[in-house]
């Protein structure tokens, strides 16, 4: 209703490397910059604490949920700035010893973790020399998640989830879709922007997409192109490659106006 507050949201694009400390320092600088521009709700990319030479590096960096250097850093940073942090994803322990959960965590301004979402769709892709199989080292989650904030209801999702519109339909209506990613440049160039804008348009909500964006120390190239999309599909701000801040205002009057003039969510029959 009318009680939801407008807010300034920021996507913090990174090119994470194999050393967690370096990545946290980079994230900290971007958070300082975004807070300086008035951001109240900030989002980090998928795997922001580590992208190493091999999948095993991520698995080794796992933390138990509720404790660990990355989670402690997130809690302390959210509390110090008095902001909401959507920690794109970090590796958490799984029920099987040799795998990890790819988990998105939400911290409120008191530094409390108020929501956890474990990625449910695991990416598999093979073309020429390029091959990915997330199921080899990730244990899939099985619960959808949205979080209620003073700024509205926010759907959580990670990377490959973007290709499954039924995930967002199951959570609708929401005010904002969160899409942290480490999209490959191959699939990103082909599909990233069009899928992001489609998800925002069909769900008539804002969408914050925050990517890894550039050439990583391990040689992998991620797509970047972080952007904030409004409920009409307009791109309000974007950054193609390199670390940096993408920032825009989430306006509830805009959501209401679009849903009133074109009540597609009300017209759903399936």
């Amino acid at each position: 209703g009318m009680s939801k507050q407008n807010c300034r949201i920021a996507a913090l694009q990174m090119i994470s490397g194999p050393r967690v400390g370096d990545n946290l320092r980079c994230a900290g600088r971007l958070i300082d910059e975004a807070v300086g521009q008035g951001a109240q709700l900030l989002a980090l990319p998928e795997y922001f604490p580590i992208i190493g030479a091999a999948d095993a590096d991520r698995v080794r960096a796992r933390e138990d949920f509720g404790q660990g250097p990355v989670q402690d850093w997130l809690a302390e940073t959210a509390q110090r700035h008095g902001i909401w942090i959507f920690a794109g994803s970090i590796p958490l322990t799984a029920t099987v010893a040799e795998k990890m959960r790819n988990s998105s965590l939400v911290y409120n301004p008191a530094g409390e973790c108020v929501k956890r979402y474990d990625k449910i769709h695991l990416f598999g892709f093979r073309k020429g020399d390029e091959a990915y199989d997330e199921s080899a080292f990730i244990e899939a989650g099985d619960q959808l998640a949205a979080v209620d904030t003073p700024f509205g209801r926010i759907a959580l999702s990670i990377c490959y989830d973007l290709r499954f519109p039924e995930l967002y339909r199951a959570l609708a209506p929401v005010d904002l879709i969160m899409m942290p990613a480490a999209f490959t440049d191959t699939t990103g160039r082909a599909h990233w922007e069009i899928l992001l804008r489609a998800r925002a348009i069909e769900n008539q909500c804002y969408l914050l997409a925050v990517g890894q964006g550039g050439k990583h120390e391990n040689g992998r190239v991620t797509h970047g192109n972080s952007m904030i999309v409004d409920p009409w599909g307009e791109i309000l701000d974007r950054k193609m490659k390199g670390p940096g801040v993408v920032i825009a205002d989430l306006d509830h009057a805009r959501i209401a106006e679009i849903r009133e003039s074109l009540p597609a969510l009300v017209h759903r029959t399936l």
Side-chain angles (χ1 to χ4, degrees), residues 1-6 150 252-253 256:
M2 292 306 292
S3 58
K4 292 174 184 173
Q5 302 166 25
N6 293 340
H252 285 284

Side-chain angles (χ1 to χ4, degrees), residues 189-206:
R189 280 196 306 267
H191 301 146
W192 172 248
E193 181 186 318
I194 199 165
L195 290 174
L196 293 172
R197 295 176 74 184
R199 295 297 88 88
I201 291 164
E202 71 204 2
N203 293 292
Q204 300 188 312
C205 67
Y206 285 85

Side-chain angles (χ1 to χ4, degrees), residues 19-43:
R19 291 166 300 279
V20 171
D22 290 350
N23 298 325
L24 296 186
R25 277 187 288 279
C26 175
R29 285 193 297 270
L30 292 170
I31 287 170
D32 290 344
E33 189 183 324
V35 168
Q37 294 178 45
Q40 299 152 283
L41 188 157
L42 293 74

Side-chain angles (χ1 to χ4, degrees), residues 57-261:
D57 297 337
R58 266 175 279 187
V59 176
R60 273 194 298 274
R62 284 170 309 191
E63 294 180 2
D64 291 331
F65 181 51
Q67 59 189 75
V70 175
Q71 292 169 89
D72 293 347
W73 180 88
L74 287 162
E76 189 274 325
T77 304
Q79 188 176 28
R80 178 160 42 91
H81 288 292
I83 52 175
W84 287 81
I85 296 180
F86 285 70
S89 86
I90 77 168
L92 293 181
T93 49
T95 60
V96 292
E98 66 279 6
K99 291 190 180 184
M100 54 169 267
R101 292 288 183 112
N102 187 2
S103 305
S104 201
L105 303 179
V106 182
Y107 290 83
N108 69 12
E112 301 158 334
C113 181
V114 293
K115 188 63 74 170
R116 168 183 172 178
Y117 166 69
D118 294 353
K119 186 179 188 179
I120 59 175
H121 295 106
L122 302 185
F123 183 57
F125 176 73
R126 185 172 299 277
K127 191 176 182 184
D129 295 337
E130 221 179 336
Y132 300 92
D133 177 18
E134 288 190 328
S135 64
F137 66 100
I138 296 174
E139 180 179 83
D142 58 7
Q143 299 287 316
L144 301 185
V147 59
D148 290 303
T149 76
F151 313 118
R153 187 163 172 79
I154 302 173
L156 301 186
S157 60
I158 301 172
C159 204
Y160 191 46
D161 285 333
L162 179 61
R163 294 182 183 272
F164 301 89
E166 61 274 21
L167 180 153
Y168 305 98
R169 278 306 204 215
L171 295 169
V174 298
D175 301 291
L176 175 64
I177 287 170
M178 208 37 90
M179 175 39 63
F183 248 63
T184 73
D185 219 22
T186 306
T187 60
R189 280 196 306 267
H191 301 146
W192 172 248
E193 181 186 318
I194 199 165
L195 290 174
L196 293 172
R197 295 176 74 184
R199 295 297 88 88
I201 291 164
E202 71 204 2
N203 293 292
Q204 300 188 312
C205 67
Y206 285 85
L207 184 148
L208 186 157
V210 54
Q212 296 279 354
K215 186 163 189 180
H216 299 262
E217 207 170 300
N218 65 10
R220 179 178 171 190
V221 180
T222 45
H223 183 60
N225 196 6
S226 297
M227 66 182 81
I228 296 170
V229 186
D230 87 351
W232 195 247
E234 303 280 347
I235 297 171
L236 303 179
D237 193 20
R238 74 167 357 143
K239 182 174 179 63
M240 293 305 295
K241 288 278 193 282
V245 174
V246 174
I247 195 161
D249 292 317
L250 188 156
D251 178 5
H252 285 284
R254 177 86 172 135
I255 297 174
E257 171 203 1
I258 287 165
R259 290 181 182 180
E260 197 174 338
S261 65

